[in-house]
Amino acid sequence: PISHKSLLDRITTTTTTTTTTPSTMSTPNEILLSTLSPANVFQYFAQLSNIPRQSMKEEPVREWLRRLCKEGQGKQYGWEYSQDHVGNVLIRVPANRDSLTNAHTLVFQGHLDMVCEKDENHTHDFAKHPIQLELSRDSKWLHAKGTTLGADNGIGVCIALGVASDESLPHGPLELLFTIDEEESMLGAESLKDTAKQNPQFINGRYLINLDSEEDGVFCIGCAGALETMGQLPVERNTAFQLSSAHTMYKLKVSGLLGGHSGVDINKGLANANKILARALIQLHENQVPIELLTITGGRKRNAIARDASALIYLTQEHHKTATRILEEIVQKSEFESVDKDLRISLETPSDKDLNSLSESNRAPLTSQCAAQLIRLLAAVPHGVARMSPDIENFVETSTNFGVVTTEENYIELSTMQRSSHWEALQDLNKMVKMVFELAGCEVIVENPLTPWQPQPQSELLNISKRAFKELRGEEPHVEAIHAGLECGLIVDAYPDMSCVSYGPTILGAHSPSERCNVADVGSCYDLTVQIMKTLYEQQ
């Protein structure tokens, strides 16, 4: 692993020389992407991928941007770096042609953090290690080795930087708005309302292009709102339990699932590891296989469909064969064969890491009553599409995701996320989940409300963007709202006169280690951005 200071030194060196070809100090990521076009976009992305950027830990990437403005390439272009009270970054880029000095200020927006997911057996520390970029054999797709790629939304950030640093491209004043913590709580975008009150001139532009969409050829003009709901079930343990020589500790494990984005992938019928684990525990109970449940863990992010889950249990040797047969039958009879063909449910020997995770109190199993209540709750927590839109074909209106379950010292926490394009439907589904938790005796926490972004199909920026798309590609773009969270709703809430449109290159498998970005679409997205700017200036 390269130290943070070393990385920053290398990054500054490369950005002050050239972004089109790697220098002698180039990192493996920069060398890998050195032949891709647009060169400046992919070299920025290679550099960005070297920098840890977990949610709420974005300071290293802020430092990269700060140094880019003050010491690197941005300095020669007159870029001005500023930061608000929570750490959102705004880079002001002056017009590079005198004739465009008074043109409309155009805002490009993306978020700095990424979802940090990795394959179970892959050794990677997101707080220290660079993302290891890889290209498919045909060089059509960019992905990462064993982890999320971070194209969501790193590639959008780098398209904005690429446009701003392209001296061959005439442009008026630009503002590059890079928010924090989008993947966890939307804190950055949510805080812009306070920023606007404290500093009304923090953002001057009123045309905003969000570069956080994931399907080429599509303009997004609306998104779902969201609420996160957690239930904390008090833990009761059987401290009188006597561990006999007949008992063996096992890890009951659900693995091999694809996972995915809890919004755009929720209607694909993907298996949820937390729900599969609940199914396994119920089947064992119904078949009179006595187990003693110690801990349960599943999923990693509220906004990702759980790919794996596990429970540490005690099981007697005489019941091991029966338990194995039941678990194999669950897989064989699973309805997920066509979408999650690698589903596995296994009984394994716990690793040293598993054993070390057990506190003294957690080594005693749950009481039979507490375990039964937990299993019923796991089964009862809703997951999936709640309602399809009656107005838009094949569009999910409302859904809920059972994202995470963790065992704490005194409680077991179940974390969910509800989404809807209608605030009333969102609140209704949130109440349903909340009441399921309450019926089970949980303490309930509801947080991180996200305002839906209401479509404005007649906005001037959308009309400009549609005209630019047709001039560039000879066809009409697809215009839609999406069942996912974009920051535009919160930005418009902070700046009511802001006109927004969102687009981006094709990204598949976001929020999972299968995330990959279409290389050619990055160029297409860049060209579209250039054409939109040209059309905007011509109209003005």
Side-chain angles (χ1 to χ4, degrees), residues 46-57:
Q47 295 167 19
L48 180 62
S49 299
N50 290 331
I51 305 171
R53 48 194 173 99
Q54 298 169 285
S55 298
M56 290 305 294
K57 297 179 180 179

Side-chain angles (χ1 to χ4, degrees), residues 9 62 70 75 87 172 176 182 185 253 282 290 344 346 354 441 469 489 502 530:
D9 290 341
R62 277 197 296 263
K70 297 183 181 300
K75 181 179 180 180
L176 314 184
E182 190 270 354
S185 70
K253 179 180 172 183
I282 291 170
R344 292 184 67 246
S346 56
D354 295 326
F469 186 97
S502 178
V530 171

Side-chain angles (χ1 to χ4, degrees), residues 20 41 56 85 263 392 443 525 539:
T20 56
V41 174
M56 290 305 294
H85 63 294
I392 305 174
E443 180 179 340
C525 183
Q539 175 167 307

Side-chain angles (χ1 to χ4, degrees), residues 101-128:
T101 301
N102 296 319
H104 288 300
T105 298
L106 188 58
V107 184
F108 293 112
Q109 189 265 324
H111 60 85
L112 296 177
D113 60 324
M114 63 176 282
V115 169
C116 297
E117 286 278 309
K118 62 182 179 180
D119 289 331
E120 184 179 9
N121 297 319
H122 184 65
T123 302
H124 184 93
D125 187 343
F126 284 100
K128 299 178 181 178

Side-chain angles (χ1 to χ4, degrees), residues 111 113-115 150-154 183 212 214 507 510-511 515:
H111 60 85
D113 60 324
M114 63 176 282
V115 169
D152 174 15
N153 180 224
E183 299 293 3
D212 194 20
E214 297 169 0
I507 298 173
H511 296 190
E515 179 186 1

Side-chain angles (χ1 to χ4, degrees), residues 233 278 281-282 285 291 293 370-380:
L233 180 70
L281 292 168
I282 291 170
H285 175 74
I291 64 170
L293 183 58
C370 181
Q373 186 77 327
L374 172 62
I375 293 170
R376 285 194 292 265
L377 177 58
L378 292 170

Side-chain angles (χ1 to χ4, degrees), residues 326-473:
I326 291 169
L327 299 179
E328 289 174 350
E329 288 179 355
I330 293 174
V331 174
Q332 292 168 2
K333 296 177 181 179
S334 162
E335 68 272 33
F336 300 106
E337 171 64 25
S338 63
V339 288
D340 269 308
K341 58 183 177 60
D342 295 325
L343 166 65
R344 292 184 67 246
I345 311 176
S346 56
L347 286 171
E348 301 180 356
T349 301
S351 65
D352 290 341
K353 182 179 178 181
D354 295 326
L355 297 175
N356 291 335
S357 70
L358 289 173
S359 64
E360 282 300 317
S361 62
N362 285 351
R363 293 180 184 275
L366 303 180
T367 64
S368 59
Q369 181 178 358
C370 181
Q373 186 77 327
L374 172 62
I375 293 170
R376 285 194 292 265
L377 177 58
L378 292 170
V381 173
H383 170 81
V385 176
R387 186 171 191 256
M388 298 297 290
S389 171
D391 305 313
I392 305 174
E393 186 178 0
N394 297 322
F395 181 68
V396 179
E397 177 201 274
T398 308
S399 73
T400 183
N401 178 59
F402 179 10
V404 184
V405 55
T406 58
T407 301
E408 307 299 336
E409 192 70 24
N410 299 312
Y411 60 87
I412 293 173
E413 182 172 88
L414 292 78
S415 300
T416 70
M417 174 180 276
Q418 292 76 54
R419 300 181 190 266
S420 182
S421 51
H422 290 280
W423 187 249
E424 290 299 322
L426 177 63
Q427 290 181 308
D428 188 58
L429 182 57
N430 174 257
K431 289 175 183 176
M432 179 195 300
V433 175
K434 180 180 177 182
M435 289 175 183
V436 169
F437 285 147
E438 289 174 342
L439 286 170
C442 294
E443 180 179 340
V444 181
I445 302 168
V446 179
E447 61 185 18
N448 297 328
L450 171 64
T451 305
W453 173 27
Q454 297 299 330
Q456 296 178 316
Q458 301 305 320
S459 79
E460 184 178 9
L461 180 59
L462 176 61
N463 289 331
I464 290 170
S465 301
K466 289 166 65 177
R467 190 159 69 252
F469 186 97
K470 188 170 184 179
E471 289 175 0
L472 183 67
R473 303 194 188 183

